[in-house]
Amino acid sequence: MSEIVLTKLNKHYGGMHHAVRNIDLTIGDKEFITLVGPSGCGKSTTLRMIAGLEEITSGEIRIGGTLVNHLPPRDRDVAMVFQNYALYQHMSVFDNLAFGLRNKKVPEAEIKKAIRNAADILGLGELMQRKPRQLSGGQQQRVALGRCIVRNPKVFLFDEPLSNLDAKLRIQMRVEIKRLRARVPTTSVFVTHDQVEAMTLGDRVVVMKDGYIQQCGTPLQVYGEPANKFVAGFIGSPSMNFFEVGIHAQDGELIAQTPFLRARVSERYKAALAAWNGRTVILGVRPEHLRVNASDVDPIGKVEIEVIEQLGSEILLETRAGDLSMTVARVNPQLPVAAGDVIQLSVPSDQLHFFDPETESAIR
Amino acid sequence: MSWRNALRNSFGEQQRFMLLLIAPAVTLLVLFQAVPIFIGGSASFRDWMLTNPKKTWVGLAQYISVLTDPAFLEIVLPNTFLFMFASVTISLAFGMALALALNRPFRAQKVVQTILLLPLMVAPVIAAIMMRWMFNDQFGIVNVVLETLGGEPRAWLVDRWSAFAIIVLTDCWLWIPWFALLLLAGLQSLPKSPFEAAAIDGTTPWRVFRHLTVPMLRPVIIVCIVIRSIDAFRTFDIVWALTGGGPARQTELFSIYAYETAFVFLDFGKGSAAAITGGLIILVVGLLLYRILDHVRKVSL
Ligand SMILES: Nc1ncnc2c1ncn2[C@@H]1O[C@H](COP(=O)(O)OP(=O)(O)OP(=O)(O)O)[C@@H](O)[C@H]1O
Ligand SMILES: [Mg+2]
């Protein structure tokens, strides 16, 4: 069993900088958690505290039930993949992989076996005698992964391991990590600032900002039911459109209205939004949920096209209605549109999101 | 006028500017390096003593006389190489230990670093005179301490090997901070993450030192060893101030030997030959050392 439990975890750098604030998180045995958030939000710091590379200011970390607050890294039985791989440059690939096992005085025969096994999983076979300098980024990445696998640790920690790779290799390595997970299920924490990586890899996604956890949930939860405006805007690409709307009741319905747009509130949000009757809230709608000139869903208003981005598989539109600007995605690439055209937008009413303008938390 | 034109034609504007810039340095180098070397070189082929200033050309006779001088072969050369080896090894070891100790944050780090640097600012001659007084057989602090501890006072600088050891000690005292400083700079420029990876991999401090620190620091170590070895080979001042090469020329290093021959026994010809022989030896030794160490580094990369 290697559950990780973080309780009221805090990290201060020096007197002033509060990098990680009151983190409470339970990572189940063999669960794969991704930590995502903008630069400087405390992801690496959290991960390094779990690894034991960074001192904890207050709070508790338990791995497999044991309190590890004061254990040095080597007694925690974790393995870590660093952003820059941190390979031992002067050692061959084989020696890099063997180093951790030799530390534990594992017999050479067993080391060979473990390395052959890892090399099979990662396709490192012919590279064994090379030095890290003689490898491509993706190969170095695989060696770094291999170094963790051979040790067969309780916990895998990843600190943005894919961020140095080019886009294509990144996708390839993403799949490879998924494959690795299936073969060697291990409790894992994966830090990234790329929300696509976070969504595709994680059993659960933890969204962080300014040292706080904003939301923790399955990829579907953080996408479909964002806890607040930040998560709503951070997850999903292109990011969600936001604007202020007034709420008022009409004919037993609740209506969200701006001078340019008008949407009916669905049954789903009605109860929660009733309290906001006559006040202003923030409405969020994802670009991919907007439809152009659709007749079968509720229309919300007319907008003028400003910019057209043809991607071949879809069209992205930047549109404007008065002082509101709105991005529309997944437009049929064959649709004949031109800048300046006025189009009718519509959206299924249960795909609208509402946020408290003060606290920015979701209203549901 | 014509050489001007020639200059103008054969060099571009930028090249002429560069020539102008290096001209002062070249002049100084020629006057104070090339000319003396040439004079010395010429002297080494002549019979030239203060008592016999005819400067007769004698070919290689002076070199043969140096190379067959038992004092040179049996005392001076072994002394020089032993001194070079002992001084460099000991100061490297202690310098490394100091650098490692300083390479972690602790309170008063800055103060300790500054104190450490003090020996670097002391002139070698002064350090040597200090040491001579410390080891003086009648007034020296060392004998006083030894006596209060119940030991036998000794005439330190009168015995060949104890005198030699004191010379090495003085040199190490002067140079350990230099090693520590350069190695510390090297340590601080090493990337952090391999060490963090090693910590997570459960590496003992000794294995970190042996398998990470030393290999990663190797280029700095090599440069330190080569520079210091060549420098140690030429050591003059501390030996001159401590023992003057005595007792009975037993602690002479090569530069003392050359100096004494030329300026004490006033045999300029033989002195020059000795100096040039030493120069050639250190040239070869330095190149070899660099080759060997650099080869070790390349193999390990
Ligand atoms: N050693 C340090 N000393 C002082 N402040 C630090 C230190 N390391 C990190 N910080 C600060 O702590 C905050 C969190 O840093 P952290 O490295 O955890 O961010 P991150 O979420 O990993 O960001 P990125 O995506 O850029 O890697 C940042 O504001 C950073 O400036
Ligand atoms: Mg980071």
Side-chain angles (χ1 to χ4, degrees):
Chain A
M1 283 301 286
S2 44
E3 194 184 51
I4 305 176
V5 183
L6 311 181
T7 319
K8 296 260 169 297
L9 196 60
N10 277 286
K11 174 72 186 179
H12 290 267
Y13 281 113
M16 293 298 295
H17 195 83
H18 199 167
V20 170
R21 306 173 192 236
N22 272 328
I23 296 256
D24 282 308
L25 182 64
T26 301
I27 302 163
D29 187 38
K30 311 226 186 304
E31 190 181 18
F32 198 107
I33 283 272
T34 52
L35 278 183
V36 66
S39 190
C41 70
K43 310 178 294 281
S44 298
T45 306
T46 308
L47 195 74
R48 291 166 59 84
M49 285 194 287
I50 298 175
L53 294 173
E54 209 74 66
E55 217 143 322
I56 300 168
T57 309
S58 70
E60 277 185 2
I61 299 182
R62 286 172 191 277
I63 300 178
T66 323
L67 185 69
V68 299
N69 279 22
H70 298 293
L71 283 188
R74 71 176 125 151
D75 296 332
R76 297 192 183 194
D77 201 11
V78 301
M80 182 157 165
V81 183
F82 290 78
Q83 179 169 353
N84 56 5
Y85 317 137
L87 297 178
Y88 309 128
Q89 293 294 330
H90 53 280
M91 296 185 200
S92 68
V93 170
F94 185 90
D95 289 338
N96 263 282
L97 296 180
F99 195 71
L101 294 176
R102 286 181 182 150
N103 285 335
K104 291 197 255 172
K105 304 215 163 56
V106 177
E108 282 295 316
E110 262 175 62
I111 294 181
K112 279 226 175 70
K113 220 173 91 195
I115 292 181
R116 200 171 317 125
N117 181 32
D120 279 349
I121 295 177
L122 295 168
L124 289 171
E126 328 79 274
L127 306 176
M128 279 303 157
Q129 292 318 315
R130 300 238 199 122
K131 295 281 163 69
R133 280 180 306 129
Q134 301 162 325
L135 301 179
S136 71
Q139 290 168 332
Q140 291 188 33
Q141 168 66 52
R142 288 205 293 259
V143 176
L145 281 176
R147 197 165 62 175
C148 293
I149 298 175
V150 293
R151 283 192 34 217
N152 192 21
K154 275 199 240 160
V155 174
F156 275 142
L157 304 173
F158 301 87
D159 192 356
E160 308 204 19
L162 307 185
S163 60
N164 285 350
L165 304 178
D166 65 44
K168 204 166 159 190
L169 205 50
R170 217 156 146 165
I171 295 170
Q172 200 180 321
M173 287 306 300
R174 213 162 71 199
V175 175
E176 224 152 290
I177 289 178
K178 286 223 101 155
R179 229 175 250 146
L180 176 65
R181 272 202 61 197
R183 292 181 67 165
V184 196
T186 308
T187 312
S188 306
V189 185
F190 188 104
V191 163
T192 174
H193 60 252
D194 177 2
Q195 45 113 357
V196 178
E197 258 168 40
M199 299 288 274
T200 51
L201 286 170
D203 295 329
R204 279 192 298 156
V205 178
V206 176
V207 184
M208 289 184 69
K209 184 193 164 205
D210 299 337
Y212 289 106
I213 289 187
Q214 303 290 317
Q215 187 173 6
C216 169
T218 63
L220 262 185
Q221 281 168 344
V222 292
Y223 178 82
E225 298 153 33
N228 56 36
K229 190 179 162 202
F230 173 78
V231 176
F234 192 80
I235 301 290
S237 165
S239 49
M240 191 183 270
N241 299 298
F242 295 106
F243 25 81
E244 294 194 339
V245 293
I247 300 287
H248 61 90
Q250 193 178 34
D251 308 334
E253 297 266 18
L254 276 182
I255 305 293
Q257 180 136 29
T258 76
F260 305 98
L261 299 174
R262 185 173 196 277
R264 195 174 51 80
V265 175
S266 76
E267 294 302 320
R268 190 176 163 196
Y269 298 115
K270 221 167 172 178
L273 273 173
W276 291 84
N277 190 0
R279 290 198 278 162
T280 306
V281 298
I282 291 172
L283 170 68
V285 52
R286 293 198 183 277
E288 57 269 31
H289 291 156
L290 287 164
R291 316 254 185 98
V292 176
N293 300 338
S295 48
D296 53 339
V297 257
D298 302 343
I300 59 167
K302 285 199 160 53
V303 293
E304 185 188 331
I305 298 176
E306 282 194 325
V307 179
I308 300 170
E309 293 176 278
Q310 174 63 267
L311 300 180
S313 60
E314 61 172 315
I315 296 177
L316 290 183
L317 297 177
E318 295 297 332
T319 65
R320 174 168 290 281
D323 57 353
L324 296 180
S325 61
M326 214 176 330
T327 309
V328 186
R330 306 249 176 94
V331 178
N332 178 359
Q334 309 295 343
L335 190 75
V337 282
D341 286 2
V342 173
I343 52 174
Q344 168 94 349
L345 290 181
S346 45
V347 61
S349 61
D350 56 355
Q351 281 175 336
L352 298 176
H353 300 265
F354 296 94
F355 303 96
D356 183 327
E358 296 284 319
T359 65
E360 301 201 336
S361 53
I363 303 171
R364 336 196 161 92
Chain B
M1 223 39 213
S2 68
W3 67 268
R4 273 199 165 199
N5 282 337
L7 194 68
R8 193 155 293 166
N9 292 339
S10 46
F11 297 105
E13 167 89 35
Q14 200 180 354
Q15 279 167 322
R16 265 181 285 140
F17 183 63
M18 291 193 303
L19 282 177
L20 189 73
L21 285 183
I22 62 171
V26 169
T27 316
L28 283 180
L29 207 68
V30 167
L31 277 180
F32 294 104
Q33 299 259 344
V35 170
I37 288 175
F38 178 78
I39 294 174
S42 151
S44 71
F45 296 106
R46 291 166 198 276
D47 184 8
W48 179 13
M49 297 177 78
L50 201 64
T51 51
N52 174 17
K54 283 196 301 260
K55 302 194 201 174
T56 337
W57 183 268
V58 294
L60 287 175
Q62 299 286 27
Y63 286 90
I64 291 167
S65 132
V66 167
L67 288 174
T68 54
D69 183 351
F72 185 77
L73 287 183
E74 283 156 31
I75 309 253
V76 173
L77 272 191
N79 270 356
T80 310
F81 280 105
L82 189 63
F83 172 78
M84 181 167 112
F85 179 77
S87 167
V88 173
T89 320
I90 296 171
S91 6
L92 175 66
F94 280 86
M96 177 65 99
L98 263 178
L100 288 174
L102 288 175
N103 189 32
R104 60 190 65 176
F106 60 91
R107 233 179 292 179
Q109 189 180 24
K110 283 277 173 293
V111 178
V112 174
Q113 278 184 15
T114 314
I115 292 175
L116 233 162
L117 286 182
L118 282 179
L120 269 184
M121 297 163 200
V122 175
V125 175
I126 294 175
I129 291 173
M130 238 163 62
M131 283 287 185
R132 200 169 79 192
W133 279 107
M134 283 171 67
F135 285 95
N136 184 291
D137 47 355
Q138 291 175 36
F139 319 109
I141 179 93
V142 176
N143 273 349
V144 172
V145 172
L146 212 61
E147 263 179 298
T148 48
L149 293 179
E152 278 284 294
R154 292 184 55 174
W156 294 98
L157 293 166
V158 173
D159 171 64
R160 175 180 181 186
W161 291 114
S162 67
F164 192 81
I166 289 167
I167 294 174
V168 172
L169 177 75
T170 310
D171 201 54
C172 289
W173 185 79
L174 282 167
W175 287 99
I176 285 171
W178 184 83
F179 273 99
L181 195 68
L182 289 184
L183 294 173
L184 182 61
L187 283 175
Q188 285 172 348
S189 69
L190 295 183
K192 293 253 178 327
S193 53
F195 292 95
E196 293 180 341
I200 290 178
D201 273 350
T203 320
T204 57
W206 168 247
R207 271 177 65 83
V208 170
F209 178 73
R210 163 94 180 59
H211 293 284
L212 294 185
T213 314
V214 170
M216 289 166 82
L217 211 54
R218 204 165 266 150
V220 180
I221 297 176
I222 290 172
V223 170
C224 284
I225 292 181
V226 172
I227 293 182
R228 231 349 253 156
S229 297
I230 294 174
D231 204 41
F233 189 91
R234 306 179 307 178
T235 304
F236 177 84
D237 37 17
I238 62 169
V239 185
W240 190 248
L242 267 169
T243 67
R249 305 190 66 179
Q250 292 288 295
T251 56
E252 271 190 14
L253 302 188
F254 133 80
S255 46
I256 302 267
Y257 175 84
Y259 177 84
E260 287 221 312
T261 311
F263 299 111
V264 177
F265 303 116
L266 301 173
D267 187 341
F268 302 128
K270 190 175 168 191
S272 300
I276 286 183
T277 310
L280 291 177
I281 292 176
I282 192 54
L283 189 71
V284 173
V285 170
L287 284 178
L288 273 181
L289 204 58
Y290 187 78
R291 278 282 172 79
I292 294 169
L293 292 173
D294 200 48
H295 181 71
V296 170
R297 183 176 72 88
K298 284 219 185 83
V299 166
S300 69
L301 263 188

